[in-house]
Amino acid sequence: MSEPYDPKHFEAKWAERWEADQLYRTGPADERPKAYILDFFPYPSGDGLSVGHCRNYVPTDVLSRYYRMRGYNVLHPMGWDAFGLPAENAAIERKTNPAKLIAQFSANYKRQFCLIGISFDWTREINSSTPEYYRWTQWIFLRLYESWYDPRANAAQPIAALEKELAERGSAGIAGVPPMTAQQWQTLGARERKDYLSHFRLAYRAASTVNWDPVEKTVLANEEVIDGRGWRSGALVEKKTLMQWFFRITAYADRLLADLQDLDWPENIKLMQVNWIGRSEGAEVVFETPVGGLHIFTTRPDTLWGATFMVLSPEHSLVLKLTTPDRQAEVQAYIAEARKKSDIDRTAEGREKTGVFTGAYARNPVNDEQIPVWVADYVLMGYGTGAIMAVPAHDQRDFEFARGFNLPIRVVIQPESKPALQAETMTEAWPGEGAMTHSGTFDGTPTSISVAQVTEWLESTGKGKRRVNYKLRDWGISRQRYWGTPIPIIHSAQGEEPAELPVTLPDVKYYEPTDTGESPLAAIPEFVNTEKGKRETDTMGTFACSAWYYLRFADPHNQNAAFDPQQVAYWLPVDMYVGGAEHAVMHLLYARFWTKVLHDLGYVPFIEPFKRLRNQGMILAPDGKEKMSKSKGNVITPDETVAEWGADALRAYEMFISDFEMATPWNTHGLAGTYRWLRRVWEVVLSPAPRPAADDRTAQADRDLTRWTHKTLRKVSQDIEGFRFNTVISTLMEFTNALHDAQRQPVSDRAFNEATDVLLLMVAPVAPFMAEEIWARQSRPYSIHQQLWPQFDLALAADETITLVLQVNGKVRGRIAMPAGLTEEQARDVAMKNEAVQRHLDGKPPRKLIYVPGKLVNVVV
RNA sequence: GCGAAAGUGGCGGAAUUGGCAGACGCGCUGGACUUAGGAUCCAGUCCCGCAAGGGGUAGGGGUUCAACUCCCCUCUUUCGCACCA
């Protein structure tokens, strides 16, 4: 009898040994097949990891260990998304430097990761807030700044090539851009040229109304505003106009959409990206007014004849120009009111539509009618052109507005399967299909073909153009905060220009946000003033840091480049990327975008960074439906759990608790189950009970145990690869129980030892500490984690006998053990001779007999 | 409102994708043993019934020899989007 299982005895010992030996260090590219297994880039919070966080780190670790044992060169790194508000706010609160806090917090994370046996290669640890890292974030910023999206190549190109083209041929060859002849270009000064080029650059500066969080005192991205409130502070977001830096992600909208198709990602995540990009096809049509054309976008050009008024967004640039003198006061008051309203007020459900008449009229190009132009806040400046044609008969929003303000409604689509619509009696709009009417020569055209026909006609008559519109906006990156990557730009008399890299954050005592909306960096003259001009003082939002970190891990300490292209070509794309679904849109979209830009510019050979993606389900507090959170005081830490049960039991329970993608409550009692299982493994391997001596049953018992062994090996391998970690554990438990029972059988030493060897190797990725300890106690050469995964043998896993299920009319009436290779003939025969089957047939002749090979016979009467 | 996912014992959850519902674990009930160890071991545990048998995967309908699985409707929960022209 050996010592009982006691993880406290050996877990710390092995953790130290592995660390000292750099057991999990990953070498550079070599000839082995590679597997890059990556967890989402975490911000190391001061609270440390909870058992909920471990839900993804344990399974990816098991996967990494499994692939190592399968002979793969595995990259499994960890680093810190260290810039950003949480660190900065924590530092302000504690009156210390955020860099110091991050060092402290990340050391704690690392300690916890080692505590639970995660096999990260710590020689590749990166920290996005160090100049060694963020100088390359800046470098990528400048690559975007120095590039533009050439629609002809459908790819990013150097901006220098565009300058050359403009000088030679002007902008004539490029569709949809502000016109510029070669002669005009020649006469422009440096600053004017730069202004013009900012319409093209993939990183550009533009005035924009931003979401201003009055508590955080910073600009928030659209994605950081939830129901009109800041995602962290919960404060009502205000609007503010500032010069902001953007990345032109909209240029990549089509490719970001199209390339989703081939990704092995959860369908709901792909769908969320599709919806976020929000592609819709339609037409752009110009309605002429005395002060210029009003461009509108519509997905239903077949309803153009039903436009009875127009609506502009209050932010539309032509509103005041268009408004007649007698209406100015009213319109201006309305605009001011709209500006004051938060988005949450503006979009509140069931709100009465408001608006005012501008006094102006616009000409509908399809029928030359003059229709009134209104201003209303239900039209959003951020989508389409900020102006719409209102077709009240066929759009619910327009219908409500028309009814509210007594505007005319004209039916131009008659549904086929309903009574004819009457404008006077309609209670809601008809947005569905039907035949066109009151539409001149198009009358009678059904919706199935009308949209395409009208669009074609608009194009051929020059009244409009085909247009694809996206909900996706450009990615705003400017943050008026200290703790971020400085935007590497200098503003001089000649306009903006790239700064020399790196632009490092000054080490300062005070970095609280200012009340003016300016970055704290603006108050530091040594930082702002350079020989060439004034530095940009905004820093980048942290999504920039995480948009490329997966590339840096391939070559994390390169001093001369963001990464070595050969290392990146070997390791990337990421084979398995795992993290929470809360990053479904922003991070994943931005990372895909940067990958595509870097691909276009020739830095990486692939177009998608993450081949496979999985989201772990959340672990809730034990009491049921609450999330674990410090404020609720229901957080369970790996530290306390390891102290009580050991790291291996924690790891096994993290896997066993539920399907990987499902949310589920934590249950400390459940840990006892995985703890008991590990103890049973420990005992059955290290000190099996004496078995009965070999006899004439031994050959059969050996075959049975060997079959168990190989079946288990096959299922465990498949389930690890398929991300079914809960059934990995249950399968291993069943096998352990089978071994336990085999102790009472006259199994030979050979078969028994083969089984325990295989069990131990299969347990190694799950319970690395115990597996290593048993391995050492068996006096085998260190380390078990460098052994090969055992091969399964299909022939040995094959069943000798099967259980044939006998049914009558689909109800189970009996089960019979039969040899595995039985013929259909035999199966039918056995079924019909079966006493229970005969009883339920009750003398009636079988009408039909269904045989599912090796499984079941169903007799139908 | 729109979209997506989910709903299975007292609990967490399985079910080779249309073929034995409830694997595995927790808990619970008996029993054995005891070097008192988070003991362990043995047996049992969906519901009704002594049994034969019957019922059962949120509810209702349907397809099928056969449905947790596919289709339609309803309810509940979670998540995402939310006046997107």
PDB file of all heavy atoms in Angstrom, chain A residues 299 383 397 657 679-680 815 858, chain B residues 12 20 26 40-41 65 83-85:
ATOM      1  N   THR A 299     -33.394  51.065 -49.715  1.00  0.00           N
ATOM      2  CA  THR A 299     -33.325  49.663 -50.123  1.00  0.00           C
ATOM      3  C   THR A 299     -34.549  49.293 -50.953  1.00  0.00           C
ATOM      4  O   THR A 299     -34.647  48.195 -51.451  1.00  0.00           O
ATOM      5  CB  THR A 299     -33.286  48.720 -48.899  1.00  0.00           C
ATOM      6  OG1 THR A 299     -34.390  49.010 -48.057  1.00  0.00           O
ATOM      7  CG2 THR A 299     -31.987  48.910 -48.119  1.00  0.00           C
ATOM      8  N   TYR A 383     -26.178  56.799 -40.359  1.00  0.00           N
ATOM      9  CA  TYR A 383     -26.483  55.709 -41.280  1.00  0.00           C
ATOM     10  C   TYR A 383     -26.903  56.276 -42.619  1.00  0.00           C
ATOM     11  O   TYR A 383     -27.653  57.250 -42.686  1.00  0.00           O
ATOM     12  CB  TYR A 383     -27.581  54.817 -40.726  1.00  0.00           C
ATOM     13  CG  TYR A 383     -27.878  53.639 -41.617  1.00  0.00           C
ATOM     14  CD1 TYR A 383     -27.047  52.524 -41.615  1.00  0.00           C
ATOM     15  CD2 TYR A 383     -28.949  53.655 -42.495  1.00  0.00           C
ATOM     16  CE1 TYR A 383     -27.287  51.456 -42.456  1.00  0.00           C
ATOM     17  CE2 TYR A 383     -29.205  52.595 -43.337  1.00  0.00           C
ATOM     18  CZ  TYR A 383     -28.372  51.493 -43.319  1.00  0.00           C
ATOM     19  OH  TYR A 383     -28.610  50.441 -44.155  1.00  0.00           O
ATOM     20  N   ARG A 397     -42.103  53.618 -39.830  1.00  0.00           N
ATOM     21  CA  ARG A 397     -41.658  54.855 -39.168  1.00  0.00           C
ATOM     22  C   ARG A 397     -42.216  56.079 -39.888  1.00  0.00           C
ATOM     23  O   ARG A 397     -42.722  57.016 -39.279  1.00  0.00           O
ATOM     24  CB  ARG A 397     -40.134  54.910 -39.156  1.00  0.00           C
ATOM     25  CG  ARG A 397     -39.518  53.811 -38.323  1.00  0.00           C
ATOM     26  CD  ARG A 397     -38.143  53.481 -38.807  1.00  0.00           C
ATOM     27  NE  ARG A 397     -38.164  53.007 -40.204  1.00  0.00           N
ATOM     28  CZ  ARG A 397     -37.079  52.673 -40.878  1.00  0.00           C
ATOM     29  NH1 ARG A 397     -35.882  52.791 -40.336  1.00  0.00           N
ATOM     30  NH2 ARG A 397     -37.167  52.256 -42.129  1.00  0.00           N
ATOM     31  N   ILE A 657     -17.550  20.208 -15.404  1.00  0.00           N
ATOM     32  CA  ILE A 657     -18.711  20.915 -14.865  1.00  0.00           C
ATOM     33  C   ILE A 657     -19.891  20.983 -15.830  1.00  0.00           C
ATOM     34  O   ILE A 657     -21.037  20.899 -15.424  1.00  0.00           O
ATOM     35  CB  ILE A 657     -18.293  22.326 -14.397  1.00  0.00           C
ATOM     36  CG1 ILE A 657     -19.415  23.022 -13.634  1.00  0.00           C
ATOM     37  CG2 ILE A 657     -17.819  23.184 -15.555  1.00  0.00           C
ATOM     38  CD1 ILE A 657     -18.953  24.257 -12.884  1.00  0.00           C
ATOM     39  N   ARG A 679      -8.185  10.255  -6.824  1.00  0.00           N
ATOM     40  CA  ARG A 679      -7.648   9.345  -5.820  1.00  0.00           C
ATOM     41  C   ARG A 679      -7.768   7.898  -6.295  1.00  0.00           C
ATOM     42  O   ARG A 679      -6.899   7.077  -6.075  1.00  0.00           O
ATOM     43  CB  ARG A 679      -8.395   9.522  -4.500  1.00  0.00           C
ATOM     44  CG  ARG A 679      -7.854   8.574  -3.426  1.00  0.00           C
ATOM     45  CD  ARG A 679      -8.381   8.899  -2.072  1.00  0.00           C
ATOM     46  NE  ARG A 679      -9.819   9.051  -2.105  1.00  0.00           N
ATOM     47  CZ  ARG A 679     -10.504   9.707  -1.178  1.00  0.00           C
ATOM     48  NH1 ARG A 679      -9.883  10.297  -0.179  1.00  0.00           N
ATOM     49  NH2 ARG A 679     -11.799   9.793  -1.264  1.00  0.00           N
ATOM     50  N   ARG A 680      -8.867   7.612  -6.961  1.00  0.00           N
ATOM     51  CA  ARG A 680      -9.059   6.255  -7.463  1.00  0.00           C
ATOM     52  C   ARG A 680      -8.027   5.929  -8.546  1.00  0.00           C
ATOM     53  O   ARG A 680      -7.514   4.805  -8.600  1.00  0.00           O
ATOM     54  CB  ARG A 680     -10.470   6.129  -8.022  1.00  0.00           C
ATOM     55  CG  ARG A 680     -10.898   4.720  -8.280  1.00  0.00           C
ATOM     56  CD  ARG A 680     -12.379   4.671  -8.626  1.00  0.00           C
ATOM     57  NE  ARG A 680     -13.151   4.175  -7.493  1.00  0.00           N
ATOM     58  CZ  ARG A 680     -14.269   3.435  -7.651  1.00  0.00           C
ATOM     59  NH1 ARG A 680     -14.726   3.152  -8.842  1.00  0.00           N
ATOM     60  NH2 ARG A 680     -14.917   3.001  -6.596  1.00  0.00           N
ATOM     61  N   ARG A 815     -33.789  -7.369 -24.966  1.00  0.00           N
ATOM     62  CA  ARG A 815     -32.413  -7.118 -25.376  1.00  0.00           C
ATOM     63  C   ARG A 815     -31.686  -8.452 -25.365  1.00  0.00           C
ATOM     64  O   ARG A 815     -31.873  -9.245 -24.440  1.00  0.00           O
ATOM     65  CB  ARG A 815     -31.716  -6.176 -24.397  1.00  0.00           C
ATOM     66  CG  ARG A 815     -32.380  -4.822 -24.295  1.00  0.00           C
ATOM     67  CD  ARG A 815     -31.569  -3.893 -23.410  1.00  0.00           C
ATOM     68  NE  ARG A 815     -32.178  -2.571 -23.436  1.00  0.00           N
ATOM     69  CZ  ARG A 815     -33.089  -2.153 -22.567  1.00  0.00           C
ATOM     70  NH1 ARG A 815     -33.482  -2.949 -21.602  1.00  0.00           N
ATOM     71  NH2 ARG A 815     -33.607  -0.946 -22.677  1.00  0.00           N
ATOM     72  N   ASN A 858     -36.920  -3.853 -35.229  1.00  0.00           N
ATOM     73  CA  ASN A 858     -38.243  -3.356 -34.876  1.00  0.00           C
ATOM     74  C   ASN A 858     -39.290  -4.106 -35.688  1.00  0.00           C
ATOM     75  O   ASN A 858     -39.283  -4.050 -36.912  1.00  0.00           O
ATOM     76  CB  ASN A 858     -38.321  -1.842 -35.150  1.00  0.00           C
ATOM     77  CG  ASN A 858     -39.629  -1.242 -34.657  1.00  0.00           C
ATOM     78  OD1 ASN A 858     -40.397  -1.899 -33.954  1.00  0.00           O
ATOM     79  ND2 ASN A 858     -39.883  -0.005 -35.037  1.00  0.00           N
TER      80      ASN A 858
ATOM     81  P     G B  12     -29.471  21.807 -12.522  1.00  0.00           P
ATOM     82  OP1   G B  12     -29.656  23.188 -12.960  1.00  0.00           O
ATOM     83  OP2   G B  12     -30.296  20.724 -13.106  1.00  0.00           O
ATOM     84  O5'   G B  12     -27.953  21.397 -12.703  1.00  0.00           O
ATOM     85  C5'   G B  12     -26.928  22.246 -12.192  1.00  0.00           C
ATOM     86  C4'   G B  12     -25.585  21.702 -12.591  1.00  0.00           C
ATOM     87  O4'   G B  12     -25.341  20.442 -11.925  1.00  0.00           O
ATOM     88  C3'   G B  12     -25.448  21.357 -14.061  1.00  0.00           C
ATOM     89  O3'   G B  12     -25.234  22.510 -14.849  1.00  0.00           O
ATOM     90  C2'   G B  12     -24.257  20.404 -14.031  1.00  0.00           C
ATOM     91  O2'   G B  12     -23.058  21.116 -13.849  1.00  0.00           O
ATOM     92  C1'   G B  12     -24.549  19.604 -12.756  1.00  0.00           C
ATOM     93  N9    G B  12     -25.305  18.390 -13.063  1.00  0.00           N
ATOM     94  C8    G B  12     -26.669  18.245 -13.047  1.00  0.00           C
ATOM     95  N7    G B  12     -27.057  17.042 -13.387  1.00  0.00           N
ATOM     96  C5    G B  12     -25.881  16.359 -13.637  1.00  0.00           C
ATOM     97  C6    G B  12     -25.660  15.008 -14.040  1.00  0.00           C
ATOM     98  O6    G B  12     -26.499  14.133 -14.265  1.00  0.00           O
ATOM     99  N1    G B  12     -24.306  14.726 -14.182  1.00  0.00           N
ATOM    100  C2    G B  12     -23.295  15.622 -13.961  1.00  0.00           C
ATOM    101  N2    G B  12     -22.061  15.170 -14.151  1.00  0.00           N
ATOM    102  N3    G B  12     -23.480  16.881 -13.582  1.00  0.00           N
ATOM    103  C4    G B  12     -24.781  17.175 -13.437  1.00  0.00           C
ATOM    104  P     C B  20     -31.532   4.574 -28.962  1.00  0.00           P
ATOM    105  OP1   C B  20     -32.580   5.591 -28.753  1.00  0.00           O
ATOM    106  OP2   C B  20     -30.129   4.879 -28.649  1.00  0.00           O
ATOM    107  O5'   C B  20     -31.918   3.237 -28.201  1.00  0.00           O
ATOM    108  C5'   C B  20     -33.252   2.744 -28.270  1.00  0.00           C
ATOM    109  C4'   C B  20     -33.584   2.110 -26.944  1.00  0.00           C
ATOM    110  O4'   C B  20     -32.671   0.997 -26.745  1.00  0.00           O
ATOM    111  C3'   C B  20     -33.375   3.035 -25.738  1.00  0.00           C
ATOM    112  O3'   C B  20     -34.347   2.717 -24.750  1.00  0.00           O
ATOM    113  C2'   C B  20     -31.995   2.666 -25.237  1.00  0.00           C
ATOM    114  O2'   C B  20     -31.795   2.906 -23.866  1.00  0.00           O
ATOM    115  C1'   C B  20     -31.969   1.167 -25.536  1.00  0.00           C
ATOM    116  N1    C B  20     -30.620   0.649 -25.715  1.00  0.00           N
ATOM    117  C2    C B  20     -30.155  -0.300 -24.794  1.00  0.00           C
ATOM    118  O2    C B  20     -30.906  -0.676 -23.890  1.00  0.00           O
ATOM    119  N3    C B  20     -28.905  -0.780 -24.938  1.00  0.00           N
ATOM    120  C4    C B  20     -28.128  -0.342 -25.927  1.00  0.00           C
ATOM    121  N4    C B  20     -26.902  -0.845 -26.020  1.00  0.00           N
ATOM    122  C5    C B  20     -28.577   0.635 -26.861  1.00  0.00           C
ATOM    123  C6    C B  20     -29.819   1.098 -26.715  1.00  0.00           C
ATOM    124  P     C B  26     -19.567  11.426  -6.873  1.00  0.00           P
ATOM    125  OP1   C B  26     -18.487  11.369  -5.870  1.00  0.00           O
ATOM    126  OP2   C B  26     -20.447  10.254  -7.080  1.00  0.00           O
ATOM    127  O5'   C B  26     -20.495  12.677  -6.569  1.00  0.00           O
ATOM    128  C5'   C B  26     -19.909  13.938  -6.268  1.00  0.00           C
ATOM    129  C4'   C B  26     -20.989  14.975  -6.091  1.00  0.00           C
ATOM    130  O4'   C B  26     -21.838  14.995  -7.260  1.00  0.00           O
ATOM    131  C3'   C B  26     -21.973  14.708  -4.959  1.00  0.00           C
ATOM    132  O3'   C B  26     -21.433  15.064  -3.700  1.00  0.00           O
ATOM    133  C2'   C B  26     -23.114  15.609  -5.365  1.00  0.00           C
ATOM    134  O2'   C B  26     -22.836  16.967  -5.115  1.00  0.00           O
ATOM    135  C1'   C B  26     -23.147  15.375  -6.883  1.00  0.00           C
ATOM    136  N1    C B  26     -24.099  14.302  -7.244  1.00  0.00           N
ATOM    137  C2    C B  26     -25.468  14.590  -7.184  1.00  0.00           C
ATOM    138  O2    C B  26     -25.822  15.734  -6.832  1.00  0.00           O
ATOM    139  N3    C B  26     -26.372  13.639  -7.487  1.00  0.00           N
ATOM    140  C4    C B  26     -25.955  12.428  -7.860  1.00  0.00           C
ATOM    141  N4    C B  26     -26.884  11.517  -8.155  1.00  0.00           N
ATOM    142  C5    C B  26     -24.561  12.099  -7.927  1.00  0.00           C
ATOM    143  C6    C B  26     -23.682  13.058  -7.613  1.00  0.00           C
ATOM    144  P     U B  40     -14.514   8.166  -0.230  1.00  0.00           P
ATOM    145  OP1   U B  40     -14.102   8.799  -1.485  1.00  0.00           O
ATOM    146  OP2   U B  40     -15.920   8.250   0.207  1.00  0.00           O
ATOM    147  O5'   U B  40     -14.123   6.630  -0.275  1.00  0.00           O
ATOM    148  C5'   U B  40     -12.784   6.234  -0.562  1.00  0.00           C
ATOM    149  C4'   U B  40     -12.610   4.793  -0.220  1.00  0.00           C
ATOM    150  O4'   U B  40     -12.835   4.609   1.207  1.00  0.00           O
ATOM    151  C3'   U B  40     -13.607   3.850  -0.864  1.00  0.00           C
ATOM    152  O3'   U B  40     -13.227   3.524  -2.193  1.00  0.00           O
ATOM    153  C2'   U B  40     -13.556   2.644   0.068  1.00  0.00           C
ATOM    154  O2'   U B  40     -12.389   1.883  -0.144  1.00  0.00           O
ATOM    155  C1'   U B  40     -13.445   3.345   1.431  1.00  0.00           C
ATOM    156  N1    U B  40     -14.761   3.559   2.078  1.00  0.00           N
ATOM    157  C2    U B  40     -15.370   2.472   2.691  1.00  0.00           C
ATOM    158  O2    U B  40     -14.875   1.357   2.706  1.00  0.00           O
ATOM    159  N3    U B  40     -16.578   2.733   3.281  1.00  0.00           N
ATOM    160  C4    U B  40     -17.233   3.949   3.326  1.00  0.00           C
ATOM    161  O4    U B  40     -18.306   4.033   3.906  1.00  0.00           O
ATOM    162  C5    U B  40     -16.536   5.024   2.661  1.00  0.00           C
ATOM    163  C6    U B  40     -15.361   4.797   2.063  1.00  0.00           C
ATOM    164  P     C B  41     -14.323   3.249  -3.286  1.00  0.00           P
ATOM    165  OP1   C B  41     -13.634   3.098  -4.583  1.00  0.00           O
ATOM    166  OP2   C B  41     -15.435   4.209  -3.147  1.00  0.00           O
ATOM    167  O5'   C B  41     -14.868   1.823  -2.834  1.00  0.00           O
ATOM    168  C5'   C B  41     -14.024   0.676  -2.893  1.00  0.00           C
ATOM    169  C4'   C B  41     -14.712  -0.486  -2.253  1.00  0.00           C
ATOM    170  O4'   C B  41     -14.989  -0.175  -0.858  1.00  0.00           O
ATOM    171  C3'   C B  41     -16.086  -0.824  -2.817  1.00  0.00           C
ATOM    172  O3'   C B  41     -15.987  -1.586  -4.001  1.00  0.00           O
ATOM    173  C2'   C B  41     -16.712  -1.594  -1.662  1.00  0.00           C
ATOM    174  O2'   C B  41     -16.205  -2.915  -1.594  1.00  0.00           O
ATOM    175  C1'   C B  41     -16.193  -0.808  -0.461  1.00  0.00           C
ATOM    176  N1    C B  41     -17.147   0.237  -0.002  1.00  0.00           N
ATOM    177  C2    C B  41     -18.247  -0.155   0.764  1.00  0.00           C
ATOM    178  O2    C B  41     -18.402  -1.363   1.023  1.00  0.00           O
ATOM    179  N3    C B  41     -19.130   0.776   1.204  1.00  0.00           N
ATOM    180  C4    C B  41     -18.931   2.064   0.906  1.00  0.00           C
ATOM    181  N4    C B  41     -19.816   2.950   1.367  1.00  0.00           N
ATOM    182  C5    C B  41     -17.822   2.498   0.114  1.00  0.00           C
ATOM    183  C6    C B  41     -16.963   1.552  -0.320  1.00  0.00           C
ATOM    184  P     C B  65     -43.833   4.953 -41.601  1.00  0.00           P
ATOM    185  OP1   C B  65     -43.537   4.060 -42.732  1.00  0.00           O
ATOM    186  OP2   C B  65     -45.175   5.581 -41.439  1.00  0.00           O
ATOM    187  O5'   C B  65     -43.514   4.174 -40.246  1.00  0.00           O
ATOM    188  C5'   C B  65     -44.416   3.183 -39.756  1.00  0.00           C
ATOM    189  C4'   C B  65     -43.758   2.436 -38.634  1.00  0.00           C
ATOM    190  O4'   C B  65     -42.642   1.671 -39.155  1.00  0.00           O
ATOM    191  C3'   C B  65     -43.131   3.305 -37.556  1.00  0.00           C
ATOM    192  O3'   C B  65     -44.093   3.732 -36.619  1.00  0.00           O
ATOM    193  C2'   C B  65     -42.111   2.355 -36.949  1.00  0.00           C
ATOM    194  O2'   C B  65     -42.720   1.423 -36.093  1.00  0.00           O
ATOM    195  C1'   C B  65     -41.596   1.616 -38.196  1.00  0.00           C
ATOM    196  N1    C B  65     -40.393   2.230 -38.762  1.00  0.00           N
ATOM    197  C2    C B  65     -39.170   2.076 -38.087  1.00  0.00           C
ATOM    198  O2    C B  65     -39.154   1.457 -37.023  1.00  0.00           O
ATOM    199  N3    C B  65     -38.055   2.621 -38.609  1.00  0.00           N
ATOM    200  C4    C B  65     -38.116   3.292 -39.760  1.00  0.00           C
ATOM    201  N4    C B  65     -36.997   3.812 -40.235  1.00  0.00           N
ATOM    202  C5    C B  65     -39.341   3.458 -40.462  1.00  0.00           C
ATOM    203  C6    C B  65     -40.452   2.907 -39.942  1.00  0.00           C
ATOM    204  P     C B  83     -32.531  52.398 -32.773  1.00  0.00           P
ATOM    205  OP1   C B  83     -31.561  53.483 -32.721  1.00  0.00           O
ATOM    206  OP2   C B  83     -33.408  52.111 -31.619  1.00  0.00           O
ATOM    207  O5'   C B  83     -33.416  52.541 -34.073  1.00  0.00           O
ATOM    208  C5'   C B  83     -34.214  51.458 -34.520  1.00  0.00           C
ATOM    209  C4'   C B  83     -35.281  51.981 -35.455  1.00  0.00           C
ATOM    210  O4'   C B  83     -36.093  52.932 -34.724  1.00  0.00           O
ATOM    211  C3'   C B  83     -34.714  52.684 -36.674  1.00  0.00           C
ATOM    212  O3'   C B  83     -35.476  52.327 -37.816  1.00  0.00           O
ATOM    213  C2'   C B  83     -34.941  54.167 -36.363  1.00  0.00           C
ATOM    214  O2'   C B  83     -35.180  54.938 -37.516  1.00  0.00           O
ATOM    215  C1'   C B  83     -36.221  54.097 -35.516  1.00  0.00           C
ATOM    216  N1    C B  83     -36.385  55.222 -34.601  1.00  0.00           N
ATOM    217  C2    C B  83     -37.631  55.853 -34.560  1.00  0.00           C
ATOM    218  O2    C B  83     -38.549  55.418 -35.287  1.00  0.00           O
ATOM    219  N3    C B  83     -37.808  56.906 -33.729  1.00  0.00           N
ATOM    220  C4    C B  83     -36.800  57.320 -32.979  1.00  0.00           C
ATOM    221  N4    C B  83     -37.013  58.343 -32.168  1.00  0.00           N
ATOM    222  C5    C B  83     -35.521  56.695 -33.000  1.00  0.00           C
ATOM    223  C6    C B  83     -35.359  55.661 -33.828  1.00  0.00           C
ATOM    224  P     C B  84     -35.157  50.923 -38.491  1.00  0.00           P
ATOM    225  OP1   C B  84     -36.162  50.806 -39.577  1.00  0.00           O
ATOM    226  OP2   C B  84     -35.023  49.874 -37.481  1.00  0.00           O
ATOM    227  O5'   C B  84     -33.730  51.113 -39.156  1.00  0.00           O
ATOM    228  C5'   C B  84     -33.596  51.835 -40.364  1.00  0.00           C
ATOM    229  C4'   C B  84     -32.285  51.475 -41.045  1.00  0.00           C
ATOM    230  O4'   C B  84     -31.195  52.043 -40.283  1.00  0.00           O
ATOM    231  C3'   C B  84     -32.016  49.974 -41.092  1.00  0.00           C
ATOM    232  O3'   C B  84     -31.318  49.687 -42.258  1.00  0.00           O
ATOM    233  C2'   C B  84     -31.106  49.737 -39.897  1.00  0.00           C
ATOM    234  O2'   C B  84     -30.198  48.671 -40.036  1.00  0.00           O
ATOM    235  C1'   C B  84     -30.310  51.050 -39.871  1.00  0.00           C
ATOM    236  N1    C B  84     -29.837  51.409 -38.503  1.00  0.00           N
ATOM    237  C2    C B  84     -28.467  51.484 -38.258  1.00  0.00           C
ATOM    238  O2    C B  84     -27.684  51.254 -39.175  1.00  0.00           O
ATOM    239  N3    C B  84     -28.042  51.827 -37.022  1.00  0.00           N
ATOM    240  C4    C B  84     -28.920  52.070 -36.057  1.00  0.00           C
ATOM    241  N4    C B  84     -28.465  52.408 -34.863  1.00  0.00           N
ATOM    242  C5    C B  84     -30.324  51.988 -36.288  1.00  0.00           C
ATOM    243  C6    C B  84     -30.738  51.650 -37.515  1.00  0.00           C
ATOM    244  P     A B  85     -31.838  49.181 -43.497  1.00  0.00           P
ATOM    245  OP1   A B  85     -32.291  47.786 -43.574  1.00  0.00           O
ATOM    246  OP2   A B  85     -30.613  49.593 -44.095  1.00  0.00           O
ATOM    247  O5'   A B  85     -33.043  50.046 -44.067  1.00  0.00           O
ATOM    248  C5'   A B  85     -32.846  50.767 -45.239  1.00  0.00           C
ATOM    249  C4'   A B  85     -33.898  51.821 -45.359  1.00  0.00           C
ATOM    250  O4'   A B  85     -34.005  52.572 -44.116  1.00  0.00           O
ATOM    251  C3'   A B  85     -33.574  52.894 -46.401  1.00  0.00           C
ATOM    252  O3'   A B  85     -33.907  52.481 -47.710  1.00  0.00           O
ATOM    253  C2'   A B  85     -34.384  54.080 -45.921  1.00  0.00           C
ATOM    254  O2'   A B  85     -35.726  53.940 -46.311  1.00  0.00           O
ATOM    255  C1'   A B  85     -34.251  53.944 -44.411  1.00  0.00           C
ATOM    256  N9    A B  85     -33.146  54.752 -43.867  1.00  0.00           N
ATOM    257  C8    A B  85     -31.922  55.009 -44.401  1.00  0.00           C
ATOM    258  N7    A B  85     -31.161  55.767 -43.661  1.00  0.00           N
ATOM    259  C5    A B  85     -31.935  56.029 -42.568  1.00  0.00           C
ATOM    260  C6    A B  85     -31.705  56.792 -41.415  1.00  0.00           C
ATOM    261  N6    A B  85     -30.573  57.436 -41.180  1.00  0.00           N
ATOM    262  N1    A B  85     -32.677  56.854 -40.492  1.00  0.00           N
ATOM    263  C2    A B  85     -33.821  56.199 -40.737  1.00  0.00           C
ATOM    264  N3    A B  85     -34.163  55.449 -41.786  1.00  0.00           N
ATOM    265  C4    A B  85     -33.162  55.404 -42.673  1.00  0.00           C
TER     266        A B  85
END
